[in-house]
């Protein structure tokens, strides 16, 4: 198929690389140098504008920070919308918000373009190995069209419900991740200060009822060894938790826990900046506690 991929960021790049291996790929990235660097390594064509990327494509994949960024990409003479042909499938892999996704779907449907929200989970490693979970919002027919394309980088590919439901699920998933990061960081900082070695504490937590992806995978491979790789910006996780809190508000669910998590991440973003990695939230806890969680 002729597929266009827009947004060669930390996760978009390995996802697009897997699409390049199976399909005729065109890429566009806001910073052109990144697209050129990608094209030097993978078979693809580089489009000069979003419009040029859309022209001739049978399916378009976007992976930008927010739904608002995707919506803005549609506009203008060189915008995506100007190049989309009738019948194109539009797969938005952004971790977006449901309301904007529904508006995008309506706007594109008016031009004969089918939209699905398809946020992913599994991190940059999962994108590289093609093992992402993909949460799809859209009708069954759209899902059936999207699935073979999503199989380039996804392993567990599920239709969640109508447009926007993938976004909603992804936001809640990431709010749980964020809550876990803070809770594990706080608990381990206290244990280390109380004289329990972090590695020993994790060894036991990870065969006990408090274990989580954060305690089993993230902290051992990124915090204990002090490597702090940058794979997912804290600013994006802050955005995800805000979307989740918005969902709680919309549905009338009181959410003191997730509201507090959101406040903590908002403050962490303000202190650490737009480039910080999400696990650096634990660094702030370490700093406040005057201790390092290593082992
Ligand atoms: P990055 O910040 O690494 O990259 C963002 C990409 O979007 C870049 O290609 C950037 O272009 C482009 N971009 C940013 N703003 C605009 C804009 N206004 N118009 C056009 N292009 C823009 O993000 P990620 O790749 O990490 O994340 C992308 C999406 O995937 C987010 O919604 C994120 O929440 C989600 N996600 C990320 C995961 C991860 O592990 N990183 C895991 C799961 C989901 P430029 O090169 O010019 O800056």
């Amino acid at each position: 198929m002729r597929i266009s991929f827009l947004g060669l960021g930390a996760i978009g790049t390995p996802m697009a690389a897997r699409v390049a291996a199976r399909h005729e790929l065109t890429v566009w990235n806001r910073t052109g140098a990144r697209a050129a660097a990608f094209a030097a390594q993978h078979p693809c064509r580089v489009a000069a504008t979003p419009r040029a990327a859309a022209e001739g494509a049978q399916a378009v994949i976007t992976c930008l920070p927010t739904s608002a960024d995707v919506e803005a990409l549609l506009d203008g003479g060189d915008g995506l919308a100007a190049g989309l042909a009738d019948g194109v499938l539009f797969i938005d892999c952004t971790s977006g918000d449901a309301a904007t996704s529904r508006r995008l779907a309506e706007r594109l449907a008016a031009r004969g373009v089918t939209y699905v929200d398809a946020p992913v989970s599994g991190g940059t490693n999962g994108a590289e190995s093609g093992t992402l979970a993909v949460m799809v919002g859209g009708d069954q027919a759209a899902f059936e069209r999207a699935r073979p394309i999503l199989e380039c980088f996804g392993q567990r590919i599920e239709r969640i419900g109508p447009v926007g439901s993938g976004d909603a699920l992804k936001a809640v998933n990431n709010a749980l991740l964020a809550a876990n990061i803070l809770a594990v960081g706080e608990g381990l900082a206290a244990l280390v200060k109380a004289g329990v070695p972090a590695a020993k504490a994790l060894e036991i937590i990870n065969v006990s009822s408090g274990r989580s992806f954060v305690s089993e995978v993230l902290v051992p491979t990124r915090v204990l060894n002090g490597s702090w790789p940058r794979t997912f910006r804290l600013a994006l996780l802050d955005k995800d938790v805000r979307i989740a809190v918005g969902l709680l508000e919309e549905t009338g669910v009181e959410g003191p826990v997730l509201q507090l998590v959101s406040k903590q991440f908002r403050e962490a973003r303000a202190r650490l900046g737009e480039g910080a990695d999400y696990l650096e939230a634990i660094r702030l806890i370490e700093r406040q506690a005057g201790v390092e969680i290593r082992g």
Side-chain angles (χ1 to χ4, degrees):
M1 276 182 84
R2 289 188 309 278
I3 297 177
S4 289
F5 198 109
L6 295 94
L8 298 173
I11 196 138
T13 297
M15 288 164 65
R18 296 192 64 92
V19 178
R22 292 197 194 175
H23 296 278
E24 198 180 312
L25 180 71
T26 296
V27 295
W28 176 84
N29 192 63
R30 182 180 61 178
T31 303
R34 268 177 133 170
F38 181 90
Q41 292 188 332
H42 306 282
C44 68
R45 181 177 79 87
V46 176
T49 61
R51 176 186 182 150
E55 283 166 351
Q58 296 165 292
V60 164
I61 304 174
T62 43
C63 191
L64 302 185
T66 68
S67 294
D69 294 325
V70 177
E71 194 168 28
L73 215 60
L74 294 182
D75 299 328
D78 278 337
L80 249 184
L84 290 169
D86 191 61
V88 169
L89 176 64
F90 194 117
I91 302 175
D92 185 12
C93 290
T94 302
S95 299
D97 68 275
T100 310
S101 282
R102 285 192 290 267
R103 197 165 59 236
L104 278 166
E106 258 181 46
R107 218 178 134 178
L108 290 166
R111 312 177 54 95
V113 172
T114 301
Y115 172 94
V116 294
D117 49 306
V120 301
S121 184
T124 52
N125 289 339
E128 277 161 25
S129 57
T131 56
L132 292 172
V134 192
M135 312 166 200
V136 183
D139 66 26
Q140 190 64 34
F143 174 69
E144 296 301 344
R145 285 179 68 193
R147 191 188 350 224
I149 298 170
L150 296 171
E151 278 169 355
C152 291
F153 44 77
Q155 191 170 51
R156 182 76 193 253
I157 302 165
E158 286 280 335
R159 175 176 178 263
I160 309 305
V163 168
S165 55
D167 288 330
L169 177 54
K170 169 69 187 176
V172 170
N173 175 76
N174 276 24
L176 300 180
L177 168 68
N180 257 284
I181 288 169
L182 297 180
V184 173
E186 290 173 5
L188 286 178
L191 284 169
V192 171
K193 287 190 94 168
V196 181
K200 172 62 73 184
L202 278 170
E203 215 179 279
I204 302 307
I205 287 170
N206 287 337
V207 292
S208 303
S209 50
R211 69 189 182 275
S212 65
F213 179 66
V214 177
S215 70
E216 289 181 315
V217 178
L218 293 179
V219 173
T221 59
R222 299 176 181 215
V223 177
L224 281 196
N225 60 13
S227 64
W228 306 105
R230 287 190 163 184
T231 63
F232 176 39
R233 292 191 297 117
L234 184 143
L236 295 172
L237 186 54
D238 169 48
K239 171 259 310 179
D240 293 331
V241 185
R242 280 184 212 220
I243 294 171
V245 167
L247 178 69
L248 265 66
E249 282 165 7
E250 266 168 46
T251 51
V253 175
E254 278 182 29
V257 173
L258 292 186
Q259 274 169 12
L260 184 57
V261 172
S262 183
K263 176 174 170 287
Q264 296 296 104
F265 269 87
R266 192 165 55 241
E267 286 173 12
R269 180 178 182 171
R271 288 176 64 180
L272 296 170
E274 294 297 298
D277 184 71
Y278 67 133
L279 280 186
E280 289 179 48
I282 294 182
R283 268 199 160 152
L284 288 183
I285 295 168
E286 289 182 339
R287 230 179 274 164
Q288 181 282 321
V291 74
E292 287 195 336
I293 301 164
R294 306 282 178 277

